[in-house]
Amino acid sequence: MRLELDPAPSLRKVALTYAAFLLLALSALALLFLAYGVSPLRALGILLSPLADPLGLSEIARRAIPLLLIGSGLAFAFRVGFFNIGAEGQLLLGAVGGAYVALFLPPGPWTLPLMFLLGGILGASWAGLAAWLRVRFGASEILTTLMQNYLAYYLVVYLVAGPWKGRMVFGFLYTDRFPEAADLPRLGDTLVHWPTLLLGVGAALALQGLLFRTPLGFALRVLGENPSAARYLGLPAGRLLLVVGGVSGFLSGLAGVGEVAGVHHRLLEPAQISLGYGFTAILAAWLARGRPLWVLLTAFLLGLILAGGDALKLALSMPFRVVDVVSGLFLLALIGAEALSRHRVVWRR
């Protein structure tokens, strides 16, 4: 008995495989909740409770905004074969760029555009550095972008604990509040900063159109699916990878600006700026199967898991990391389903 690649799995086989693995994930979650003395059905109801009221929906949208921006860029990059694992660091660099404009340049109607521009450029430069290292020296972007996350993390810590620390702040690490010109408009009393949401939707649509409706997109897909064919056709692989890395980093930087300008209104410690959005967006991009348009769905699905996890923590006094357990189990289930659905069991030798 052995496993062989199944080049054309049937829709029925794929659906059944995913259903079986998701059932396994739900069963494991049920055991976890039982270990805490909580009814699995009650816990599932709380997890899905944000869907039942406007406040919960706004919390889902708030968490989906950075996932949508970052996930669109990562889905685009993954499709082309650039495996950017450093979106968390690129988000933080974007937040630094936005904070610099807000804190040190004269406020005015130009403040928000400049914040997004500088934040996006810093995010693009951070990802572009990893792309250049791959093109020039063959360095794995998985390792370089992962290590860059830590550099960005400690840069933000240094800034908020040192030269950018608020003048009236005692015992906490954050900057002064941004001027009003640096505040993104929000929907009513919610934390949904709708300009960033529109940017995310626009990015997903634009990248989908670029990949599947243009000659450049065809070249990018060839590079991602068959690098040998790309070399045979004479495609400029190095320049294309630099562009792709820059685009994904630019969108991650925009997400960082959105968080500090739309939610916090100051630069804070990294763990308060981002709830691991750069890493969670990897899952959103992976679930989208390299199609940025599908991130419109996967980002809001993961936003539901994040918002529902917060509801679990509050309602049941469960540990802070319960959200990581929930999302991790679903990720393992989806990875297993993807791998098994693309293979078939052969019983002969």
Side-chain angles (χ1 to χ4, degrees), residues 36 311-319:
Y36 275 92
L312 281 174
K313 290 182 290 187
L314 292 173
L316 304 177
S317 300
M318 297 189 77

Side-chain angles (χ1 to χ4, degrees), residues 81-106:
F82 182 76
F83 299 101
N84 180 6
I85 312 298
E88 186 77 2
Q90 292 146 29
L91 179 152
L92 294 175
L93 262 291
V96 168
Y100 176 83
V101 172
L103 293 171
F104 301 109
L105 295 185

Side-chain angles (χ1 to χ4, degrees), residues 12-320:
R12 180 174 178 271
K13 174 187 174 183
V14 172
L16 288 175
T17 305
Y18 271 81
F21 273 84
L22 287 174
L23 184 61
L24 285 173
L26 290 173
S27 300
L29 282 175
L31 292 176
L32 172 68
F33 294 135
L34 286 173
Y36 275 92
V38 177
S39 166
L41 290 178
R42 182 187 174 210
L44 183 61
I46 295 173
L47 185 66
L48 298 178
S49 63
L51 293 171
D53 64 90
L55 179 60
L57 290 173
S58 71
E59 286 298 303
I60 294 173
R62 176 172 80 89
R63 288 163 173 79
I65 290 172
L67 298 179
L68 179 55
L69 270 169
I70 301 170
S72 299
L74 293 185
F76 176 66
F78 293 171
R79 186 66 181 243
V80 184
F82 182 76
F83 299 101
N84 180 6
I85 312 298
E88 186 77 2
Q90 292 146 29
L91 179 152
L92 294 175
L93 262 291
V96 168
Y100 176 83
V101 172
L103 293 171
F104 301 109
L105 295 185
W110 52 82
T111 298
L112 281 171
L114 279 179
M115 289 175 69
F116 278 108
L117 180 61
L118 182 58
I121 288 174
L122 287 180
S125 301
W126 205 233
L129 175 60
W132 179 79
L133 289 172
R134 171 176 164 177
V135 172
R136 182 67 178 82
F137 301 106
S140 168
E141 71 275 15
I142 295 175
L143 294 178
T144 53
T145 54
L146 185 62
M147 294 300 102
Q148 284 178 312
N149 288 330
Y150 296 99
L151 294 175
Y153 180 97
Y154 287 109
L155 171 63
V156 174
V157 171
Y158 164 73
L159 291 174
V160 297
W164 290 10
K165 185 176 181 180
R167 289 165 294 183
M168 302 300 295
V169 172
F170 301 98
F172 298 95
L173 299 181
Y174 51 77
T175 66
D176 290 326
R177 194 194 187 284
F178 294 168
E180 289 187 8
D183 291 351
L184 277 171
R186 301 190 295 209
L187 293 177
D189 295 328
T190 71
L191 294 176
V192 179
H193 36 106
W194 59 265
T196 323
L197 177 60
L198 292 181
L199 282 175
V201 174
L205 293 172
L207 292 178
Q208 180 77 10
L210 173 64
L211 271 178
F212 297 99
R213 293 290 185 269
T214 66
L216 175 59
F218 177 75
L220 291 170
R221 285 186 286 125
V222 170
L223 176 61
E225 294 169 13
N226 195 331
S228 298
R231 286 194 297 270
Y232 178 78
L233 293 171
L235 297 178
R239 289 200 296 271
L240 291 176
L241 285 174
L242 287 172
V243 170
V244 168
V247 169
S248 64
F250 187 84
L251 292 176
S252 298
L254 295 185
V257 176
E259 290 305 294
V260 294
V263 178
H264 305 293
H265 307 299
R266 53 169 50 93
L267 188 69
L268 312 97
E269 292 181 271
Q272 297 183 57
I273 297 173
S274 170
L275 302 175
Y277 292 132
F279 297 111
T280 306
I282 295 173
L283 177 54
W286 187 84
L287 290 175
R289 293 169 172 258
R291 294 179 178 269
L293 187 63
W294 290 12
V295 179
L296 290 170
L297 175 62
T298 60
F300 283 90
L301 174 63
L302 291 171
L304 169 61
I305 292 177
L306 292 175
D310 284 345
L312 281 174
K313 290 182 290 187
L314 292 173
L316 304 177
S317 300
M318 297 189 77
F320 175 75

